Amino acid sequence: MNPEQYADHFIENDEVLNRVKQVTAEKGMPEIAIAPGYGRLLTLLVKATGAARVLEIGALGGYSGICLARGLAPEGTLTSLELKQEFADVARANVTEAGFGGKVEYRVGPALESLAQLKAEGQRFDFFFIDADKENYPNYLEYAIELANPGALIAGDNTFLRGRTLNPDKNGPSVQAIRRFNEAMATDDRLIGTILPAYDGLAVAMVK
């Protein structure tokens, strides 16, 4: 048993999230939801920081959306960006079944276009979760910083890309983008950040 398996066995009997994974598989969608331990961490961070407005980039089947919504205060809201309408529909159904349908707004289309629209609307957020196409992670980070309230948290999943980020022989566009993202999360003067080296890597930073 590795450390992740040990940690997960305490939280693996989450019927709601297990149902989301089942539906995602049945729909033929990618089975790439955030790791259970990091899902629990998202709930903890949203609740601990009192985040009232959360922005999720990449909805997939709603697994992370439920984790984020579980940490929201009663008046809190989640805005979720998803490229594909069919994925957003599945996520909405799963989040609604979990009891959070009234807290979530879905915006469908390329995330950079949705982010530009949010910026034009003057929207601001307290927490960001990035888990979408890897080549745009650096762009998503810049938007998150621009849309952040002071002290907002930013979390980005899959920062190791199943080991490719750590392999000097791997230099594809996604790998290079994630390396830039990781470096910025840990060293950008506008942030206080670090990288958590479990599962597939999670970068977390606070906007100063």
Side-chain angles (χ1 to χ4, degrees):
M1 180 181 291
N2 63 35
E4 289 88 351
Q5 291 170 327
Y6 174 77
D8 283 347
H9 92 272
F10 292 110
I11 56 177
E12 62 188 1
N13 293 320
D14 190 314
E15 293 183 4
V16 172
L17 295 179
N18 288 342
R19 172 62 179 161
V20 172
K21 290 194 286 187
Q22 179 184 343
V23 170
T24 300
E26 291 173 351
K27 296 286 185 180
M29 298 166 63
E31 297 179 49
I32 52 174
I34 191 170
Y38 281 158
R40 181 67 64 89
L41 180 61
L42 291 182
T43 302
L44 185 157
L45 290 174
V46 171
K47 191 159 188 74
T49 58
R53 303 207 64 221
V54 176
L55 178 63
E56 173 186 48
I57 304 174
L60 193 61
Y63 188 106
S64 57
I66 291 170
C67 295
L68 293 163
R70 283 175 169 176
L72 287 169
E75 70 279 6
T77 60
L78 169 65
T79 300
S80 185
L81 311 184
E82 174 53 52
L83 175 64
K84 299 182 178 182
Q85 182 67 58
E86 60 268 31
F87 287 7
D89 291 342
V90 172
R92 185 191 305 276
N94 285 331
V95 171
T96 299
E97 186 173 338
F100 301 109
K103 290 182 170 293
V104 185
E105 173 199 5
Y106 288 92
R107 298 198 180 200
V108 179
L112 290 178
E113 294 180 9
S114 296
L115 289 163
Q117 182 179 14
L118 290 169
K119 181 180 177 181
E121 294 170 3
Q123 304 265 12
R124 290 292 181 270
F125 298 90
D126 307 307
F127 195 101
F128 301 82
F129 179 55
I130 302 171
D131 190 9
D133 58 300
K134 308 312 174 191
E135 291 185 35
N136 272 313
Y137 264 43
N139 297 323
Y140 297 152
L141 177 58
E142 285 301 317
Y143 266 111
I145 294 171
E146 291 182 26
L147 295 171
N149 285 319
L153 288 188
I154 302 170
D157 196 24
N158 304 121
T159 56
F160 293 159
L161 289 178
R162 294 179 171 84
R164 284 182 289 154
T165 307
L166 314 177
N167 186 343
D169 295 327
K170 301 292 185 180
N171 289 290
S174 293
V175 173
Q176 293 186 48
I178 289 295
R179 286 175 181 152
R180 293 196 304 273
F181 173 81
N182 290 344
E183 181 177 3
M185 287 287 278
T187 67
D188 192 296
D189 289 340
R190 297 168 293 178
L191 305 171
I192 303 170
T194 190
I195 298 173
L196 306 180
Y199 303 102
D200 196 30
L202 186 78
V204 182
M206 175 181 285
V207 181
K208 294 180 180 177

